[in-house]
Amino acid sequence: MRGRFAPTPSGPMHIGNASTALLAWLQTRSADGEFLIRIEDVDATRSKAELAEQALTDLRWLGLDWDEGPDIGGSRGPYTQSERTAAYEEALTALDRAGRLYSCFCSRAELASVASAPHGLGSEGPSYPGTCSSLTPMQREAKRLRKQPSLRFMLGSQPVEFLDAVAGPQAFPTGAGGDFIVKRADGMFSYQLAVVVDDAMMGVTDVLRGADLLDSTPRQLQLYEALGLRPPRFAHVPLMFGSDGKRLAKRHGGLSLAALRSAGIAPEEVVGWLAAVSGLTPTAEPVRASELIRHFRIEQVTTESITVTDGMLGQLIG
Ligand code: GLU
């Protein structure tokens, strides 16, 4: 069993990210598995090296440890996506050989004007209607003279089903979300491609992550299949929302681990609070992360999204 936590260093780590990290770590450690950290900075425009370093500091402060990661290395590194582009390029070559890629010349405006198709997947906007998949080679060459294309992965002709260890049985109809981008026109590889290549090459057997990525999973499963790779098991855990009803993010600055630490809150208090709101323990007593390993069971993890009310926060911040 090999698990991982894969933060995107685009903002300070907050209690929502910390909760996912803690649960992934507990799932792995309770199965006596190996845990790795991977920095997902494939989107260079959103990522900052200082934030990647801060994330490691925050995780360590919380009481988590890892067997492989960007700071300590390991046999399946590098563990930072910006250093792994050769592997992504290789995967694209394999997908191209399998006839699963095509160039897409659609502009942002054209894509935005596509009415949401019935099988749209929430996380990435309206379904791509496949416009460029039917271009003739001549049309394609003519367009290429004027515009650098992005590359899209052609979905298969089967529905996708899988059993999520937290969210339960999942079924997505054929073509859900539409053919998706694996490399942007500006040369950036997509999250979907990078995460599949990395999890496969790093031997990850169990992916536990936020429920916002549940509808990315059918796409990723299709990439695993097209690349002839064995997919991991998946568990998608509930997201945390602020009392404003919005997902926890940078603007909830006071809920970053760094802010809690400088307010004098102990890591055991944060872990105890996270364990309680995630459903692992009945009350938010301070506890070390390592003390939760023995009793951890994935079935205990709450399946409802978590709204962090002022009352709940009061238990943490006092
Ligand atoms: N890098 C993603 C994030 O920070 C997580 C990706 C994953 O776990 O698959 O939201």
Side-chain angles (χ1 to χ4, degrees):
M1 145 80 173
R2 280 169 65 84
R4 49 66 154 189
F5 180 62
T8 299
S10 59
M13 178 148 348
H14 54 66
I15 50 174
N17 311 128
S19 163
T20 305
L22 175 66
L23 294 172
W25 182 83
L26 286 172
Q27 184 195 33
T28 306
R29 292 299 186 223
S30 66
D32 225 2
E34 292 155 3
F35 194 64
L36 64 93
I37 302 287
R38 179 174 68 237
I39 297 296
E40 299 213 317
D41 61 349
V42 73
D43 185 346
T45 59
R46 288 175 57 219
S47 304
K48 291 207 178 72
E50 316 83 86
L51 289 170
E53 220 157 279
Q54 181 68 48
L56 299 182
T57 305
D58 288 343
L59 293 169
R60 223 175 275 114
W61 176 76
L62 212 54
L64 309 190
D65 64 346
W66 44 96
D67 306 293
E68 297 163 37
D71 54 338
I72 55 173
S75 59
R76 311 217 195 183
Y79 296 89
T80 300
Q81 287 189 327
S82 54
E83 295 166 26
R84 302 181 54 79
T85 51
Y88 309 145
E89 204 56 71
E90 228 170 273
L92 283 188
T93 304
L95 292 173
D96 193 32
R97 276 207 203 106
R100 298 295 290 274
L101 296 187
Y102 63 88
S103 303
C104 174
F105 301 89
C106 293
S107 66
R108 222 176 264 264
E110 283 166 325
L111 295 177
S113 70
V114 174
S116 189
H119 299 325
L121 294 178
S123 62
E124 282 190 26
S127 275
Y128 182 65
T131 319
C132 287
S133 64
S134 51
L135 294 177
T136 64
M138 243 163 71
Q139 287 171 318
R140 200 160 283 156
E141 284 321 307
K143 282 183 183 280
R144 203 186 295 277
L145 293 176
R146 291 198 304 275
K147 192 172 190 285
Q148 180 74 17
S150 57
L151 283 177
R152 280 189 192 270
F153 173 72
M154 201 181 292
L155 292 181
S157 53
Q158 300 290 322
V160 177
E161 292 180 8
F162 64 97
L163 180 63
D164 190 280
V166 173
Q170 304 294 315
F172 292 84
T174 305
D179 298 342
F180 60 88
I181 291 183
V182 283
K183 190 179 188 183
R184 290 193 336 199
D186 65 4
M188 194 187 100
F189 296 97
S190 75
Y191 155 70
Q192 307 290 359
L193 180 78
V195 78
V196 165
V197 170
D198 290 347
D199 282 332
M201 289 181 74
M202 294 177 184
V204 170
T205 60
D206 290 78
V207 167
L208 184 151
R209 61 188 176 193
D212 52 326
L213 293 168
L214 185 59
D215 70 13
S216 281
T217 305
R219 295 182 171 121
Q220 293 170 18
L221 284 169
Q222 297 207 40
L223 283 176
Y224 278 101
E225 195 180 15
L227 289 166
L229 298 169
R230 185 191 165 96
R233 291 178 287 260
F234 289 95
H236 289 87
V237 299
L239 299 180
M240 277 192 200
F241 293 84
S243 48
D244 57 0
K246 302 220 170 87
R247 259 184 75 186
L248 286 193
K250 279 166 242 174
R251 68 182 164 279
H252 301 90
L255 300 181
S256 71
L257 291 191
L260 294 172
R261 180 168 58 226
S262 43
I265 295 169
E268 293 79 9
E269 292 177 272
V270 178
V271 169
W273 186 86
L274 290 174
V277 299
S278 304
L280 304 184
T281 52
T283 54
E285 300 305 318
V287 64
R288 280 204 302 273
S290 56
E291 292 174 276
L292 294 169
I293 296 174
R294 206 154 55 91
H295 298 292
F296 176 81
R297 293 184 34 149
I298 193 89
E299 295 78 18
Q300 297 169 322
V301 176
T302 174
T303 54
E304 302 292 326
S305 60
I306 299 159
T307 300
V308 181
T309 60
D310 294 344
M312 281 160 75
L313 263 189
Q315 293 180 355
L316 178 60
I317 301 173

